Protein backbone atom coordinates (compact mmCIF):
# COMPACT_ATOMS: atom_id res chain seq x y z
CA UNK A 1 0.00 0.00 0.00
CA UNK A 2 1.98 2.99 -1.30
CA UNK A 3 -0.58 5.65 -0.26
CA UNK A 4 -0.20 8.84 -2.30
CA UNK A 5 2.69 9.04 -4.75
CA UNK A 6 3.83 11.97 -6.87
CA UNK A 7 5.91 12.07 -10.03
CA UNK A 8 8.41 13.67 -10.55
CA UNK A 9 10.08 14.57 -7.24
CA UNK A 10 12.07 17.47 -8.70
CA UNK A 11 11.90 19.47 -11.92
CA UNK A 12 13.51 22.58 -13.34
CA UNK A 13 11.69 24.36 -16.16
CA UNK A 14 12.39 27.38 -18.28
CA UNK A 15 9.79 30.13 -18.54
CA UNK A 16 7.17 29.19 -21.10
CA UNK A 17 7.73 25.43 -20.95
CA UNK A 18 4.92 23.07 -20.09
CA UNK A 19 4.78 20.06 -17.83
CA UNK A 20 2.41 17.67 -16.09
CA UNK A 21 2.63 16.52 -12.49
CA UNK A 22 1.15 13.12 -11.76
CA UNK A 23 -0.51 12.09 -8.52
CA UNK A 24 -1.60 8.51 -7.86
CA UNK A 25 -3.34 6.99 -4.83
CA UNK A 26 -4.11 3.35 -4.10
CA UNK A 27 -6.54 3.89 -1.20
CA UNK A 28 -9.67 4.09 -3.37
CA UNK A 29 -10.29 7.64 -2.19
CA UNK A 30 -12.95 9.71 -3.92
CA UNK A 31 -11.51 13.14 -3.25
CA UNK A 32 -8.18 14.43 -4.50
CA UNK A 33 -6.47 17.82 -4.16
CA UNK A 34 -3.53 19.79 -5.50
CA UNK A 35 -1.83 22.35 -3.25
CA UNK A 36 1.17 24.59 -3.53
CA UNK A 37 3.30 25.47 -0.53
CA UNK A 38 5.35 28.64 -0.43
CA UNK A 39 7.35 30.07 2.51
CA UNK A 40 5.08 31.94 4.90
CA UNK A 41 1.97 31.11 2.85
CA UNK A 42 1.07 27.67 4.11
CA UNK A 43 -0.80 25.29 1.84
CA UNK A 44 -2.95 26.89 -0.82
CA UNK A 45 -5.48 24.86 -2.77
CA UNK A 46 -5.06 24.98 -6.55
CA UNK A 47 -7.73 22.55 -7.81
CA UNK A 48 -9.59 19.61 -6.40
CA UNK A 49 -11.78 16.73 -7.52
CA UNK A 50 -14.72 15.08 -5.77
CA UNK A 51 -14.73 12.06 -8.05
CA UNK A 52 -13.65 10.59 -11.36
CA UNK A 53 -14.34 12.98 -14.23
CA UNK A 54 -14.94 16.01 -11.99
CA UNK A 55 -12.70 18.96 -11.14
CA UNK A 56 -13.19 22.30 -9.39
CA UNK A 57 -11.14 25.45 -8.78
CA UNK A 58 -9.52 26.18 -5.47
CA UNK A 59 -7.99 29.33 -4.08
CA UNK A 60 -5.19 29.82 -6.65
CA UNK A 61 -6.20 28.10 -9.94
CA UNK A 62 -4.80 30.57 -12.49
CA UNK A 63 -2.08 29.13 -14.72
CA UNK A 64 -2.95 25.51 -13.90
CA UNK A 65 -5.23 22.87 -15.37
CA UNK A 66 -6.20 19.47 -13.99
CA UNK A 67 -7.75 16.23 -15.13
CA UNK A 68 -9.18 13.22 -13.29
CA UNK A 69 -9.76 10.61 -15.96
CA UNK A 70 -9.25 7.70 -13.56
CA UNK A 71 -10.26 7.57 -9.92
CA UNK A 72 -6.74 6.81 -8.73
CA UNK A 73 -4.97 9.55 -10.72
CA UNK A 74 -5.07 13.35 -10.60
CA UNK A 75 -2.93 15.32 -13.05
CA UNK A 76 -1.82 18.93 -12.67
CA UNK A 77 -0.70 20.74 -15.81
CA UNK A 78 1.25 23.92 -16.33
CA UNK A 79 0.76 25.06 -19.93
CA UNK A 80 3.25 27.94 -19.90
CA UNK A 81 5.36 27.98 -16.75
CA UNK A 82 6.21 31.28 -15.04
CA UNK A 83 8.79 32.00 -12.30
CA UNK A 84 5.86 32.73 -9.93
CA UNK A 85 4.98 29.03 -10.17
CA UNK A 86 8.23 28.04 -8.47
CA UNK A 87 6.96 26.15 -5.44
CA UNK A 88 6.55 22.80 -3.77
CA UNK A 89 3.43 21.03 -5.01
CA UNK A 90 1.56 18.55 -2.86
CA UNK A 91 -1.18 16.18 -3.85
CA UNK A 92 -3.63 14.83 -1.26
CA UNK A 93 -6.58 12.48 -1.16
CA UNK A 94 -9.40 11.81 1.27
CA UNK A 95 -12.11 9.18 1.62
CA UNK A 96 -15.80 10.05 1.30
CA UNK A 97 -18.27 10.22 4.15
CA UNK A 98 -16.00 12.02 6.61
CA UNK A 99 -16.98 15.45 7.91
CA UNK A 100 -13.47 15.56 9.38
CA UNK A 101 -12.01 15.32 5.87
CA UNK A 102 -8.64 13.90 6.89
CA UNK A 103 -6.38 14.34 3.91
CA UNK A 104 -3.44 12.07 3.09
CA UNK A 105 -0.54 13.82 1.41
CA UNK A 106 2.08 12.74 -1.06
CA UNK A 107 5.78 13.55 -0.66
CA UNK A 108 5.69 16.63 -2.88
CA UNK A 109 7.23 17.84 -6.14
CA UNK A 110 9.79 20.63 -6.00
CA UNK A 111 9.44 22.78 -9.12
CA UNK A 112 11.77 25.60 -10.11
CA UNK A 113 10.92 27.84 -13.06
CA UNK A 114 13.84 29.88 -14.37
CA UNK B 1 -7.45 39.23 6.73
CA UNK B 2 -6.75 35.52 6.34
CA UNK B 3 -9.40 33.09 7.51
CA UNK B 4 -6.81 31.27 9.67
CA UNK B 5 -3.84 33.01 11.25
CA UNK B 6 -0.95 31.08 12.76
CA UNK B 7 2.08 32.29 14.69
CA UNK B 8 4.81 31.98 12.05
CA UNK B 9 7.79 31.25 14.28
CA UNK B 10 10.35 29.92 13.86
CA UNK B 11 10.39 28.57 17.38
CA UNK B 12 13.48 27.06 18.98
CA UNK B 13 13.32 25.37 22.41
CA UNK B 14 15.56 23.13 24.52
CA UNK B 15 14.76 19.44 24.86
CA UNK B 16 12.21 18.84 27.59
CA UNK B 17 10.49 22.21 27.23
CA UNK B 18 6.74 22.67 26.96
CA UNK B 19 5.79 24.03 23.54
CA UNK B 20 2.65 26.00 22.75
CA UNK B 21 1.55 26.45 19.14
CA UNK B 22 -1.45 28.62 18.33
CA UNK B 23 -3.94 29.58 15.62
CA UNK B 24 -6.83 31.99 15.45
CA UNK B 25 -9.67 31.84 12.94
CA UNK B 26 -12.58 33.96 11.82
CA UNK B 27 -15.12 31.45 10.41
CA UNK B 28 -17.50 30.42 13.19
CA UNK B 29 -18.78 27.52 11.04
CA UNK B 30 -15.57 25.53 11.52
CA UNK B 31 -16.23 22.37 13.52
CA UNK B 32 -13.13 20.18 13.08
CA UNK B 33 -9.78 21.51 14.16
CA UNK B 34 -6.70 19.62 13.10
CA UNK B 35 -2.97 19.73 13.57
CA UNK B 36 -0.75 18.41 10.81
CA UNK B 37 2.95 17.75 11.30
CA UNK B 38 5.33 18.16 8.40
CA UNK B 39 8.92 16.97 8.58
CA UNK B 40 11.49 18.61 6.35
CA UNK B 41 11.01 17.72 2.68
CA UNK B 42 8.00 15.50 3.44
CA UNK B 43 4.25 15.83 3.06
CA UNK B 44 2.07 16.84 6.03
CA UNK B 45 0.56 14.10 8.20
CA UNK B 46 -2.42 14.42 10.51
CA UNK B 47 -1.20 14.53 14.11
CA UNK B 48 -4.49 14.96 15.93
CA UNK B 49 -7.88 16.57 15.66
CA UNK B 50 -10.62 17.95 17.91
CA UNK B 51 -14.31 18.28 17.23
CA UNK B 52 -15.89 21.53 18.46
CA UNK B 53 -14.63 22.97 21.75
CA UNK B 54 -12.62 21.24 24.43
CA UNK B 55 -9.36 19.41 24.96
CA UNK B 56 -7.96 16.21 23.55
CA UNK B 57 -4.85 14.48 24.80
CA UNK B 58 -2.65 11.95 23.02
CA UNK B 59 0.54 11.08 24.85
CA UNK B 60 2.70 14.19 25.08
CA UNK B 61 0.36 16.18 22.83
CA UNK B 62 -2.73 18.14 23.86
CA UNK B 63 -5.02 19.94 21.44
CA UNK B 64 -7.24 22.67 22.82
CA UNK B 65 -10.10 24.55 21.14
CA UNK B 66 -11.85 27.64 22.45
CA UNK B 67 -14.66 28.38 19.99
CA UNK B 68 -15.84 31.44 21.94
CA UNK B 69 -12.46 33.07 21.31
CA UNK B 70 -11.89 31.36 17.95
CA UNK B 71 -8.52 30.18 19.22
CA UNK B 72 -6.85 26.77 19.05
CA UNK B 73 -3.64 25.51 20.58
CA UNK B 74 -1.35 22.51 20.45
CA UNK B 75 0.77 21.80 23.52
CA UNK B 76 3.77 19.49 23.42
CA UNK B 77 5.08 18.31 26.80
CA UNK B 78 8.62 17.05 27.33
CA UNK B 79 9.54 18.05 23.80
CA UNK B 80 12.05 15.87 21.95
CA UNK B 81 14.41 16.56 19.04
CA UNK B 82 12.20 14.22 16.98
CA UNK B 83 9.38 16.77 17.40
CA UNK B 84 11.34 19.21 15.23
CA UNK B 85 9.02 19.88 12.28
CA UNK B 86 6.58 22.42 10.88
CA UNK B 87 3.15 22.28 12.51
CA UNK B 88 0.14 23.39 10.49
CA UNK B 89 -3.30 23.97 11.91
CA UNK B 90 -6.22 23.14 9.63
CA UNK B 91 -9.98 23.52 9.92
CA UNK B 92 -13.13 22.30 8.25
CA UNK B 93 -16.86 22.53 8.70
CA UNK B 94 -20.21 22.07 6.97
CA UNK B 95 -20.40 23.87 3.69
CA UNK B 96 -16.63 23.81 3.25
CA UNK B 97 -17.01 21.71 0.10
CA UNK B 98 -14.60 19.05 1.38
CA UNK B 99 -11.86 21.60 1.72
CA UNK B 100 -9.48 22.31 4.56
CA UNK B 101 -8.34 25.78 5.48
CA UNK B 102 -4.72 25.74 6.62
CA UNK B 103 -2.66 28.09 8.72
CA UNK B 104 0.73 29.15 7.38
CA UNK B 105 2.62 26.79 9.70
CA UNK B 106 5.04 27.19 12.61
CA UNK B 107 8.54 25.76 12.28
CA UNK B 108 9.66 24.17 15.55
CA UNK B 109 13.21 23.13 16.42
CA UNK B 110 13.89 21.20 19.64
CA UNK B 111 17.54 21.42 20.57
CA UNK B 112 19.20 18.41 22.29
Amino acid sequence: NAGVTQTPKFRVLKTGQSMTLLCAQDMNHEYMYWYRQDPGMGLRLIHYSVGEGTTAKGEVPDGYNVSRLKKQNFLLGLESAAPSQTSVYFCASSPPGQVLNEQFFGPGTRLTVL
Amino acid sequence: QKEVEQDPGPLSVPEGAIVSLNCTYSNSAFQYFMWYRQYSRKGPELLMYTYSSGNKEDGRFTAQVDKSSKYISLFIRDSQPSDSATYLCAMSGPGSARQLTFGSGTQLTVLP
Side-chain angles (χ1 to χ4, degrees):
Chain A
N1 193 347
V4 179
T5 57
Q6 292 183 233
T7 307
K9 289 184 169 55
F10 304 94
R11 186 74 185 267
V12 178
L13 289 179
K14 294 182 180 178
T15 297
Q17 288 185 319
S18 64
M19 77 164 296
T20 300
L21 283 69
L22 171 64
C23 175
Q25 52 93 7
D26 61 2
M27 297 176 283
N28 201 34
H29 286 173
E30 289 291 333
Y31 304 95
M32 296 188 74
Y33 309 82
W34 274 108
Y35 292 91
R36 60 178 289 172
Q37 187 174 39
D38 303 290
M41 303 292 289
L43 286 163
R44 292 185 292 169
L45 183 64
I46 304 171
H47 286 279
Y48 65 101
S49 168
V50 299
E52 182 178 319
T54 73
T55 62
K57 294 180 180 179
E59 180 186 354
V60 288
D62 294 342
Y64 305 94
N65 56 74
V66 288
S67 64
R68 182 103 181 264
L69 299 179
K70 294 182 179 180
K71 185 178 182 179
Q72 63 268 33
N73 296 337
F74 196 27
L75 279 63
L76 177 71
L78 285 73
E79 289 186 346
S80 180
S84 61
Q85 294 178 304
T86 293
S87 187
V88 182
Y89 292 85
F90 287 100
C91 175
S93 69
S94 67
Q98 276 190 355
V99 179
L100 168 66
N101 193 25
E102 178 182 0
Q103 294 184 11
F104 297 80
F105 285 82
T109 294
R110 293 183 172 272
L111 175 66
T112 301
V113 182
L114 302 176
Chain B
Q1 184 188 4
K2 290 183 181 178
E3 212 168 5
V4 177
E5 300 274 4
Q6 183 171 0
D7 294 342
L11 190 59
S12 184
V13 302
E15 183 175 353
I18 296 174
V19 176
S20 172
L21 305 170
N22 309 294
C23 290
T24 59
Y25 63 95
S26 57
N27 187 345
S28 57
F30 287 143
Q31 291 183 328
Y32 283 92
F33 302 90
M34 289 153 268
W35 289 96
Y36 279 78
R37 181 172 60 193
Q38 183 178 20
Y39 289 114
S40 180
R41 297 185 174 265
K42 302 288 187 184
E45 292 180 308
L46 181 64
L47 179 62
M48 54 192 307
Y49 71 91
T50 309
Y51 175 72
S52 193
S53 280
N55 292 358
K56 186 173 184 179
E57 192 172 316
D58 184 1
R60 296 183 295 107
F61 298 87
T62 300
Q64 197 171 77
V65 175
D66 181 349
K67 290 195 78 176
S68 62
S69 301
K70 296 189 178 68
Y71 189 88
I72 72 170
S73 299
L74 177 71
F75 298 97
I76 307 174
R77 291 185 301 280
D78 187 25
S79 56
Q80 302 295 309
S82 58
D83 296 328
S84 298
T86 295
Y87 291 81
L88 300 124
C89 61
M91 306 176 189
S92 69
S96 62
R98 302 288 302 174
Q99 296 178 37
L100 294 178
T101 302
F102 284 89
S104 57
T106 301
Q107 184 179 346
L108 171 67
T109 301
V110 181
L111 302 170

